[in-house]
Amino acid sequence: MIRLILAQASGAAPADWVLFFGHFHPLIVHLPIGFLLIAGLLELDRLTRRNSVSSHTITLILFWSAVSATMACIAGYMLSLGGGYEADTLNTHKWEGIGVAVFAWIAWAVKSENLDRIIPFAQVVYLPALGISLLLLLAAGHLGGNLTHGSDYLTQYMPPPLRTLAGVPPKAPVFKAEPITDVNQAMVYQQIVNPILQTRCVQCHNARKSKGGLRMDTPDMLQKGWEDGPVFVAGKATASELIKVCLLPEDDDHHMPPKGKTQLQEEQIALLTWWIDQGAPFNKKVSELKVNDAIRPVLASLTGGGPVEAGTAVAATSRTDGPAPMSPMLTMKVPAANPTVIEELRKAGLLVLPLSKEQNQLEVSAVNARNFNDTQAALLPKVSNQLVWLKLGDTDISDAALAQVAKLKNLQKLHLEQTNVTDAGLKQLKGLTNLEYLNLYGTAVTDAGLADLAALKNLKTVYLWQTRVTEQGLAALKKNRPDLDVIGGINEQEVAAFSKASLPETKEGEPKKN
């Protein structure tokens, strides 16, 4: 086993089993913390109150503290092979952890009288060894917290008086985005892009904690990129790491933000994509860039009201994830949905949300119902008059469910990303004459399915990231529908290249994980 671990240190990519056991480090590391603290408290009690504590008890505790500290060191080393940690802090943390294990073994050897047989007067080093192991434990624990949570984790919320006493610098001001009153005059990076980065990315990529050598807290650092190069290619969003990692499945090790962190919203990804496609400018206003129909409603939603220039004006809405609110589907008069039917939908795990207090239009979302399936889809037509936004992404539905979706005559927005739908399912959607937005990211749709999309005359935006669509198919679709905004369109070959590109090469040419 040790030979295999050392092989990983030679520059080869860490095997999955190495990272698997490495992820047990945060669990194992709590064992030596508990054992050593108990041993230290028992010895302190014995010295101060002269209480008789069984020598065998302390010896046993020290033995397991040494064993668990050693296991924590091995697991910690495995975890470090995955990369993404500040090098100097990691190196100091590593040696402090090794020191804890070494002095714990020394303390155990002396306490168990094994060392007395070899070294006379070995008992005199017992208390110093135990004390050093405890001090190193505190230091290693502090740096471990810094590696995981950032260097200011313990002091982030420290009150000002304590900061003064401890000599800690004043708390950094909380980031506040500049309000946008006129989106046309908004500075694209400063008022639109930077707030997204500050709230979703800077927590792990800042001056105190720069995973992968990447900082995103300033324009200069963002342009500098990470340890393997730039994070964006101006003018080419789909070739940019910044966008690629956001589009990976959430359980992928390279997905950003990491699983468990607050994820980027679809509209935020769209804004970042648009900014990069426009050349990633840091000093331009919205009015100086090209604004297409896909991004116009997203930009409009950033303001308290007002149209967006460079095309048909779009009024703002309090929601940020829908198409233009001027659509007749959002203002037409429809009867209220049957409360019994609403309850049925909710029992199936669906969220049923009104789009406004004044109208009866509904959004139905399966965000909390990942097991939603074709059979349950039969509930949807019961609100066919009211349902205008439907989110079935990342559920168990297939083409069979689209037979029910096709009955939703007022449907304007449809999410089918990362489902089992195919070209056969798209054929059933030809009757959705009011559909304006369709997300097919991560599905098995091919060029044949695009031909059916061309027949949806009101369709304005379609997402085709990581589908089986080819460049030829996209070209044909754009020729038939030049008014249609197609976002993405990465085919299988590009996905393979994309995945490979996201893994930097070692000197030997073998990809390694970060």
Side-chain angles (χ1 to χ4, degrees):
M1 179 177 176
I2 298 297
R3 189 187 311 162
L4 290 171
I5 295 175
L6 291 175
Q8 303 298 332
S10 65
D16 286 345
W17 69 267
V18 172
L19 295 177
F20 170 74
F21 286 111
H23 278 73
F24 283 89
H25 174 70
L27 173 65
I28 298 173
V29 79
H30 288 85
L31 297 177
I33 293 174
F35 285 132
L36 280 172
L37 287 177
I38 290 173
L41 290 172
L42 289 176
E43 286 293 353
L44 182 64
D45 186 66
R46 183 179 65 81
L47 292 171
T48 56
R49 300 201 303 172
R50 303 296 180 182
N51 287 343
S52 59
V53 180
S54 169
S55 179
H56 173 73
T57 299
I58 298 180
T59 301
L60 183 64
I61 293 172
L62 287 173
F63 173 76
W64 285 112
S65 70
V67 170
S68 58
T70 304
M71 293 172 61
C73 286
I74 296 173
Y77 175 71
M78 290 180 174
L79 182 62
S80 71
L81 294 176
Y85 300 99
E86 200 279 318
D88 291 339
T89 305
L90 176 63
N91 190 56
T92 304
H93 175 68
K94 177 181 70 175
W95 286 110
E96 287 175 348
I98 292 173
V100 172
V102 169
F103 283 99
W105 279 115
I106 293 174
W108 167 78
V110 174
K111 191 67 176 179
S112 62
E113 301 182 355
N114 290 327
L115 207 59
D116 283 345
R117 302 166 190 166
I118 304 172
I119 304 175
F121 311 110
Q123 286 293 329
V124 298
V125 304
Y126 169 63
L127 288 178
L130 180 58
I132 292 173
S133 67
L134 286 168
L135 290 175
L136 288 173
L137 181 70
L138 294 175
H142 172 65
L143 289 187
N146 289 355
L147 287 169
T148 305
H149 304 290
S151 60
D152 65 342
Y153 181 66
L154 291 178
T155 61
Q156 185 176 3
Y157 300 104
M158 181 180 286
L162 290 181
R163 284 179 175 272
T164 303
L165 289 173
V168 177
K171 183 178 178 180
V174 177
F175 174 79
K176 290 187 67 174
E178 293 183 32
I180 298 175
T181 55
D182 181 356
V183 72
N184 301 300
Q185 299 304 312
M187 300 300 296
V188 177
Y189 174 77
Q190 183 177 339
Q191 294 179 270
I192 297 175
V193 173
N194 190 43
I196 297 174
L197 301 180
Q198 291 288 339
T199 56
R200 294 293 188 271
C201 310
V202 171
Q203 181 183 3
C204 295
H205 300 284
N206 54 59
R208 298 178 300 275
K209 181 182 180 183
S210 53
K211 283 195 172 184
L214 173 63
R215 284 180 54 183
M216 305 178 76
D217 51 332
T218 68
D220 289 342
M221 291 294 102
L222 183 60
Q223 292 178 85
K224 182 180 179 182
W226 64 319
E227 58 192 18
D228 290 299
V231 292
F232 64 84
V233 180
K236 297 180 179 179
T238 54
S240 300
E241 292 293 328
L242 182 61
I243 301 301
K244 288 179 179 180
V245 294
C246 297
L247 297 178
L248 289 169
E250 192 172 339
D251 56 358
D252 190 290
D253 288 341
H254 299 93
H255 173 83
M256 291 294 158
K259 188 175 183 179
K261 300 288 186 180
T262 304
Q263 297 298 304
L264 284 163
Q265 297 174 358
E266 176 186 300
E267 295 73 26
Q268 293 174 321
I269 296 176
L271 287 167
L272 293 176
T273 300
W274 169 71
W275 173 65
I276 294 175
D277 280 338
Q278 293 298 307
F282 287 85
N283 56 358
K284 289 190 176 182
K285 300 177 181 180
V286 171
S287 59
E288 298 178 79
L289 304 182
K290 180 182 178 181
V291 178
N292 56 36
D293 288 339
I295 205 65
R296 189 170 296 111
V298 181
L299 288 170
S301 69
L302 300 176
T303 70
V308 180
E309 294 174 358
T312 305
V314 179
T317 174
S318 59
R319 303 184 66 94
T320 63
D321 59 350
M326 299 284 292
S327 170
M329 294 302 101
L330 298 182
T331 57
M332 66 184 294
K333 298 294 183 181
V334 296
N338 187 329
T340 303
V341 174
I342 299 296
E343 188 59 29
E344 285 185 70
L345 293 169
R346 287 173 175 161
K347 285 182 179 179
L350 298 172
L351 291 177
V352 183
L353 306 171
L355 295 189
S356 71
K357 295 179 180 179
E358 296 77 18
Q359 305 291 338
N360 293 317
Q361 283 84 349
L362 297 175
E363 172 187 351
V364 173
S365 172
V367 65
N368 294 327
R370 299 305 186 193
N371 295 323
F372 189 79
N373 55 43
D374 296 339
T375 302
Q376 293 171 306
L379 296 171
L380 299 175
K382 295 183 179 182
V383 285
S384 61
N385 287 327
Q386 297 81 16
L387 209 170
V388 291
W389 292 355
L390 178 60
K391 297 183 178 181
L392 298 179
D394 200 21
T395 62
D396 292 337
I397 66 163
S398 65
D399 293 335
L402 298 192
Q404 303 298 331
V405 174
K407 300 175 183 178
L408 306 175
K409 59 183 181 180
N410 292 332
L411 195 62
Q412 183 198 33
K413 179 178 180 181
L414 177 59
H415 281 259
L416 298 174
E417 63 270 20
Q418 294 188 304
T419 59
N420 296 318
V421 301
T422 67
D423 296 339
L426 293 187
K427 288 183 179 295
Q428 303 179 74
L429 302 183
K430 289 182 179 179
L432 296 180
T433 56
N434 294 308
L435 191 65
E436 298 180 16
Y437 172 103
L438 179 61
N439 194 324
L440 296 171
Y441 157 65
T443 63
V445 171
T446 70
D447 294 352
L450 297 190
D452 296 305
L453 295 184
L456 298 173
K457 298 304 181 183
N458 281 322
L459 189 63
K460 297 178 180 178
T461 306
V462 59
Y463 283 76
L464 293 170
W465 276 308
Q466 297 190 35
T467 60
R468 297 180 182 177
V469 172
T470 66
E471 291 296 331
Q472 293 78 9
L474 281 175
L477 177 62
K478 291 177 180 178
K479 182 178 179 181
N480 292 333
R481 289 288 308 276
D483 60 318
L484 182 61
D485 282 304
V486 180
I487 314 297
I490 303 177
N491 58 35
E492 285 184 314
Q493 291 75 26
E494 288 172 308
V495 171
F498 157 91
S499 300
K500 183 178 180 181
S502 67
L503 300 176
E505 299 289 321
T506 66
K507 293 181 180 180
E508 291 76 16
E510 296 178 358
K512 68 177 181 179
K513 290 184 179 179
N514 293 307

